[in-house]
Amino acid sequence: MSEPSLNALKIAFTYMPRSIEVTKFEYGDRYQKVLDHIQTVREILLTNDVDPDEVYGEINPENSPNSTY
């Protein structure tokens, strides 16, 4: 994946809901599809050696808390 495409995916991922936020109450019958989409993006990030849990801090360093470890 090209660097600009990977960067665009990272940015888009920061706007996606976190899996724990996706509920049937909030998303109705499409909640499983939303969870599947989130998982697909996570897998592509991992395939490109990007830790999905670190993406938000990389894209928005000014808004992410400092690590405590």
Side-chain angles (χ1 to χ4, degrees):
M1 176 175 272
S2 72
E3 194 61 34
S5 295
L6 184 57
N7 193 51
L9 185 62
K10 289 177 184 179
I11 292 168
F13 185 70
T14 65
Y15 290 95
M16 293 179 82
R18 299 196 184 270
S19 296
I20 197 162
E21 299 169 342
V22 179
T23 65
K24 191 167 186 172
F25 176 76
E26 191 72 27
Y27 288 86
D29 290 337
R30 64 187 194 100
Y31 83 99
Q32 187 57 56
K33 187 172 189 176
V34 173
L35 287 173
D36 293 344
H37 289 167
I38 294 168
Q39 185 59 34
T40 298
V41 174
R42 288 181 64 85
E43 288 173 7
I44 296 300
L45 289 170
L46 288 168
T47 299
N48 285 277
D49 297 322
V50 175
D51 182 350
D53 297 325
E54 301 293 326
V55 169
Y56 186 83
E58 180 184 334
I59 298 299
N60 298 301
E62 67 282 356
N63 294 332
S64 60
N66 293 332
S67 176
T68 57
Y69 58 105

